[in-house]
Each structure stands twice: as structure tokens, then as C-alpha cells.
Amino acid sequence: MEILKNEQLQLAVSPMGAELQSIKDSSGKEYLWQADERFWPRHSPILFPIVCGLWNKRYRIDGFEYTMERHGFARDMEFKLIGRTDNKVTFALESTTATRRLYPYDFMLSVSYRLDGNRIHVIWHVHNTDNNEIHFQIGGHPAFNLPDVGEGEPMHGCLKFDNEGHLERLIGNVGGCIVPGRFDLPTEKGFWTFDEASFREDAVILDRCQVKQVQLLDKARRPVVTVDMKTPAVGIWSPYGKNAPFVCIEPWFGVHDSVDYQGDFRKKYLMNHLLPGASFLSEYIITIG
């Protein structure tokens, strides 16, 4: 476990999945969900080389069919520590014989966490080490403790989106894949109040770059956590039926398959492409308070 600390925050990051494990302020208050298995046994997994689900867990490239579980394999693999300073830590995962059975490309994925005051920069770097163009999706899945929700109380909360206009969501509730159509997400000047029923249809997915900032607010509507992103999509999720005291704010370069999708992997919606030797670099930022 790697620890980063300054006067305002302390972070813990595990090499398993290069996953952020803890965000505490100077008083010791924990902001990141602590992976209680009764609800959801993760903190903030990295989603790669797919985001969300494939139809029947299968995809096709050049006439060959492959199988991959939801959200890909990176979250369940050991990364190697490749860099460490007082305020930044970097882990890397390289393709192996095992990954090529699931995903027929060579790559290096590095994930960095940089601490800057009360801000955490989560930096993704995908490098194509293959002789061919590679195709991938990548995303974050950080889960944050809900303010003002005590043990056993009904889950509820409020988010503030930077878009105060009309918002439309996708729904991915059939076999973990997206159904046709776009659906209104009622908000009031960017404020969205939610409860258990809000996630009856699984994650609330906002694509088309509709949202670039999401704030988790307390009951006085003060920001507790802010997530800034440069991604074309964001997922908002909490496990329906569990009354879980957390919400995930997920920056995504990619989304689920559509229901019954039988097309080529490379032509999936929001797919990213890298020529040999090229790199992809992006980040999202978590601000506490």
C-alpha cells in the first residue's frame, strides 16, 4: 500500500488494480467508500479495456470472438509501482500472455495519483506497444460516502451538475447493456436529488459530454466532493435494493454495448483508437470540500 499525505489529505493506493483505497482529511474523516461486502466490495476500480458490459460477455475482432467480464480485467490485476515522489505515485500494467487471451493487443496502462492541496489528480496513460492499432475504453469508478446518511437510514443525497439545462440519460439495464432511446433526467437548475428508487434501472448514464463536473452535496447543499472530468460520459450509480450509503461518480471514455450488439469491437460507441507507438493521456480530478 502506498500512502500520499499533505496538510489537507491522506491517500492510500493499492497495487492491486492500482485502486485508490482511502481519502481522509486532516481530521481523519473518510470520504471514499470502504468496500463493505454487504453492499459492494470495491473502492474505486479502474475500468479497462472496456467500460461496463458486453452483450453476452462476448466481442468480435477480425472474425475472432473473445470473452470478457464486465469492466474488463485491469481492476483485478497486480500493477507494478514505477514512480514515487512526495506527492505522486504511479503504477503500471503491461500486457501478458494471459491478457492477450482476453484482449488481443499489447499495451502499457499506467495510473497515477497526484496530491495537490485538497485535490487528487487521477491520471490515465495508455501506450500502444503493439504492432497494430489498438482499441479500448477506460473509466473510473470512485465511490463516495453519502453525507448525512447514518447506519441503517434510507439512502438519499443530492448532486449538482455543471449543466443546468435539459439532461438526457441512457439506460443499461438489460443484460448489463443499453436499451434503445434516451430518457429525461429531471433536475432543477442542475440539482438532482436521488434515493434508492433512482437506481432501479441501474446506473444513470449521461453521454454526449453533457456534464463535466459533478458535486456531491450535504443537506445544506455545500459541496463535500467534486469530480471534474474530461470524459464524454459519466455514470452515476449505487446498487439498487441494498440501501447502500454511497454513490459512485464515474468518468467514462466508453459505455456498455447496446442490447443485441453483434458488431465489430472497433465500431462500438465511444471506442478509443491508438496507432502503434501512440499514447492516450487524460485525467479526472477529485476535490474534497
Side-chain angles (χ1 to χ4, degrees):
M1 193 76 69
E2 294 294 321
I3 305 296
L4 294 176
K5 186 176 181 179
N6 64 15
E7 293 182 354
Q8 298 183 55
L9 296 178
Q10 177 176 297
L11 312 182
V13 186
S14 171
M16 177 55 67
E19 185 177 4
L20 187 61
Q21 304 279 298
S22 175
I23 305 172
K24 291 182 179 179
D25 65 17
S26 57
S27 71
K29 180 180 177 180
E30 178 65 70
Y31 290 81
L32 200 66
W33 171 244
Q34 287 303 288
D36 186 333
E37 293 187 356
R38 294 175 299 168
F39 302 99
W40 187 58
R42 299 181 187 268
H43 306 270
S44 180
I46 304 297
L47 316 182
F48 179 89
I50 59 171
V51 170
C52 298
L54 301 168
W55 183 244
N56 292 327
K57 300 183 180 181
R58 297 185 178 95
Y59 70 98
R60 290 145 295 278
I61 297 176
D62 293 331
F64 293 94
E65 188 170 84
Y66 301 87
T67 300
M68 200 184 311
E69 296 292 328
R70 186 178 181 86
H71 291 322
F73 50 75
R75 63 182 183 166
D76 295 316
M77 297 192 72
E78 189 87 10
F79 282 60
K80 180 181 179 181
L81 178 66
I82 62 169
R84 169 72 204 236
T85 66
D86 288 344
N87 70 334
K88 183 179 179 182
V89 63
T90 301
F91 292 92
L93 175 70
E94 295 189 73
S95 51
T96 65
T97 300
T99 66
R100 282 190 288 271
R101 293 192 194 102
L102 301 172
Y103 176 69
Y105 299 115
D106 287 321
F107 65 89
M108 185 177 78
L109 166 64
S110 66
V111 180
S112 299
Y113 298 90
R114 181 167 64 86
L115 189 54
D116 177 19
N118 66 335
R119 291 153 58 95
I120 305 150
H121 296 254
V122 184
I123 304 160
W124 301 319
H125 179 198
V126 182
H127 181 59
N128 182 356
T129 58
D130 205 281
N131 293 323
N132 300 297
E133 185 178 38
I134 71 170
H135 316 276
F136 68 94
Q137 298 176 327
I138 191 167
H141 202 314
F144 302 103
N145 295 324
L146 287 173
D148 311 312
V149 176
E151 180 73 25
E153 293 180 1
M155 78 88 69
H156 64 277
C158 182
L159 299 179
K160 174 68 168 65
F161 301 119
D162 62 334
N163 183 349
E164 297 185 4
H166 176 67
L167 294 178
E168 292 183 333
R169 65 173 290 193
L170 302 175
I171 294 178
N173 65 350
V174 176
C177 292
I178 293 173
V179 301
R182 295 176 183 275
F183 305 86
D184 291 344
L185 183 70
T187 60
E188 183 180 349
K189 295 184 178 180
F191 292 96
W192 182 59
T193 56
F194 60 86
D195 58 18
E196 177 82 3
S198 303
F199 302 100
R200 187 187 304 274
E201 304 295 344
D202 205 12
V204 173
I205 306 162
L206 302 171
D207 66 338
R208 295 181 172 176
C209 299
Q210 292 179 85
V211 170
K212 291 298 185 182
Q213 183 187 83
V214 182
Q215 293 182 314
L216 174 61
L217 308 179
D218 65 15
K219 62 185 177 183
R221 293 201 167 180
R222 296 170 300 197
V224 175
V225 174
T226 301
V227 180
D228 289 281
M229 63 205 77
K230 303 173 183 177
T231 56
V234 57
I236 310 297
W237 178 79
S238 192
Y240 177 69
K242 294 189 176 183
N243 200 36
F246 70 87
V247 67
C248 297
I249 302 171
E250 310 177 39
W252 291 347
F253 282 97
V255 292
H256 326 44
D257 273 0
S258 297
V259 169
D260 289 325
Y261 184 72
Q262 300 293 328
D264 191 283
F265 183 72
R266 295 168 291 195
K267 296 180 181 180
K268 276 169 54 72
Y269 180 48
L270 297 184
M271 183 59 68
N272 304 282
H273 312 279
L274 275 181
L275 293 172
S279 290
F280 165 97
L281 183 66
S282 191
E283 70 172 1
Y284 71 93
I285 301 170
I286 301 168
T287 303
I288 301 301

